[in-house]
Amino acid sequence: MASANDANRNREEVRRLIAGIDDSVANDLLKGAIDLHVHSGPSTMPRKLDHMEAAEEAAAAGMRAVLFKDHHYSVAPVIPMMERLFGERGLAMYSGLVLNNSTGGLNPFVVDAQLKMGAKLIWMPTAQAGNHIRSAHRKTRLATNVELRPSPGLTVVDPYGKILDEVKQILDLIAEFDAILSSGHLHVWEIWKLFDEARARGVKRLLVNHPMYGLHFTYEDVRDLAKLGALIEQSAGLYVDSRFNTYTPEEFKEHILAAGVEHSSIGSDLGQVDNPTPVEGMRQAIKLCLALGFSEAEVRTMVADNPARLLGLSS
């Protein structure tokens, strides 16, 4: 993890690298792009823009789709109203449910209801996962402007390492609706067990978010889960000119190559105050990829084609 000084150096290097890439090239690659990791508001955490503003910005950039994520509620029931306002703009909008205690935890009844209301993606626990709580000790990146009650750490396995019965029911529902399963902020050891069980139960769409940040992945884990069929999403906010910057540009390239372009995507993971907006974060990530030697075709694969395939959209 980067210290404050390291992060400052990283951001300076990012600014230097992306300055050499023409904005028009990045803007062309933004057209048709899909961001599966938008943290707009309202939220318990301070947000730079709300869902409507995030949709407006994405539509103006010519993006194909966005997926809204909040750790403590589902935006899915709101999507039909947003479609009424933005449907003619050509932007597809999605959301899903994060299985934190604040949304019902590992509760198949809640998952069933949300899937029937249009949830496209089910995240395993994030901010209230046991692994997240341990990994976030003495860190403040998920600070809120509302003091939430202390939460017991959630896990998907019993004391013997077996997948919980309620999680099996949730996986069956995800398979039934052909929805996407994200590993959330579980530990990589839990994720392996979860994805093995998910595949056995017919779940076809697997997503790993920011594997190198807080989830304790090795490069071998990234490679092997990609071979298993998971899409490996890198969070732009961890690499671009953001207060969340954690890794060097070279590490960004290494993290992508660990999975391979054909198994990689980039989501902004942005929307927080004092950070770039999701669209600006995606633009910076696109420029950084080009500066690091990825071709325009490879970048389009990661920001458009691969997330479209995960969503089940035609090319």
Side-chain angles (χ1 to χ4, degrees):
M1 298 297 176
S3 68
N5 287 337
D6 289 337
N8 287 334
R9 283 193 292 270
N10 292 347
R11 288 192 289 267
E12 288 174 6
E13 179 66 3
V14 168
R15 289 192 288 268
R16 184 187 68 80
L17 287 169
I18 67 177
I21 304 298
D22 195 314
D23 277 341
S24 65
V25 177
N27 290 337
D28 283 344
L29 288 168
L30 264 177
K31 293 181 172 64
I34 297 172
D35 185 355
L36 298 178
H37 209 143
V38 175
H39 281 300
S40 44
S43 177
T44 60
M45 307 172 197
R47 295 304 186 211
K48 187 163 194 168
L49 69 181
D50 62 31
H51 306 316
M52 302 292 286
E53 292 169 318
E56 288 174 331
E57 184 187 42
M63 293 180 65
R64 184 177 186 182
V66 293
L67 193 148
F68 301 103
K69 176 184 181 182
D70 192 272
H71 296 285
H72 303 297
Y73 74 100
S74 171
V75 185
V78 182
I79 296 297
M81 290 182 283
M82 296 182 66
E83 287 174 338
R84 178 169 58 82
L85 296 173
F86 289 99
E88 78 284 355
R89 303 282 298 273
L91 177 73
M93 292 169 286
Y94 306 96
S95 186
L97 178 70
V98 182
L99 302 183
N100 286 322
N101 287 304
S102 49
T103 63
L106 302 170
N107 187 326
F109 298 99
V110 178
V111 172
D112 177 61
Q114 285 294 318
L115 288 169
K116 288 172 178 172
M117 278 193 275
K120 191 70 174 177
L121 196 159
I122 302 297
W123 291 270
M124 286 294 122
T126 57
Q128 294 172 345
N131 173 66
H132 177 100
I133 292 169
R134 292 188 294 271
S135 299
H137 178 59
R138 299 185 70 182
K139 299 183 177 69
T140 59
R141 285 194 169 174
L142 281 177
T144 72
N145 60 353
V146 175
E147 188 65 32
L148 298 177
R149 294 183 64 180
S151 175
L154 293 167
T155 178
V156 296
V157 297
D158 68 16
Y160 296 95
K162 305 294 185 183
I163 295 292
L164 299 170
D165 287 342
E166 55 266 39
V167 175
K168 293 177 183 178
Q169 294 177 50
I170 290 168
L171 295 176
D172 288 341
L173 287 164
I174 293 171
E176 177 185 348
F177 284 83
D178 196 23
I180 302 165
L181 167 66
S182 166
S183 55
H185 294 184
L186 300 176
H187 190 281
V188 64
W189 175 78
E190 298 171 275
I191 294 169
W192 271 110
K193 291 176 177 292
L194 175 73
F195 279 8
D196 282 344
E197 186 72 30
R199 290 176 74 244
R201 290 177 175 272
V203 176
K204 296 180 175 64
R205 306 181 192 278
L206 304 173
L207 176 65
V208 177
N209 305 110
H210 52 71
M212 309 309 285
Y213 183 75
L215 309 189
H216 307 282
F217 271 65
T218 64
Y219 285 105
E220 290 75 18
D221 288 316
V222 172
R223 178 198 65 206
D224 293 343
L225 277 171
K227 287 180 179 178
L228 190 74
L231 184 65
I232 310 298
E233 180 191 88
Q234 304 298 339
S235 291
L238 297 173
Y239 305 96
V240 301
D241 187 8
S242 135
R243 66 182 172 88
F244 283 178
N245 183 287
T246 304
Y247 300 103
T248 66
E250 187 56 38
E251 285 173 317
F252 185 31
K253 184 174 185 177
E254 291 172 0
H255 294 171
I256 290 172
L257 293 178
V261 167
E262 66 276 18
H263 301 294
S264 294
S265 70
I266 298 171
S268 70
D269 203 355
L270 291 169
Q272 308 84 2
V273 295
D274 303 324
N275 265 343
T277 65
V279 168
E280 177 54 30
M282 290 292 285
R283 182 182 289 109
Q284 286 191 31
I286 287 169
K287 295 176 77 172
L288 185 55
C289 283
L290 294 171
L292 290 169
F294 292 102
S295 69
E296 291 183 31
E298 288 174 322
V299 173
R300 191 172 298 281
T301 294
M302 293 188 286
V303 301
D305 299 341
N306 288 345
R309 187 176 67 251
L310 187 71
L311 285 168
L313 302 178
S314 59
S315 59

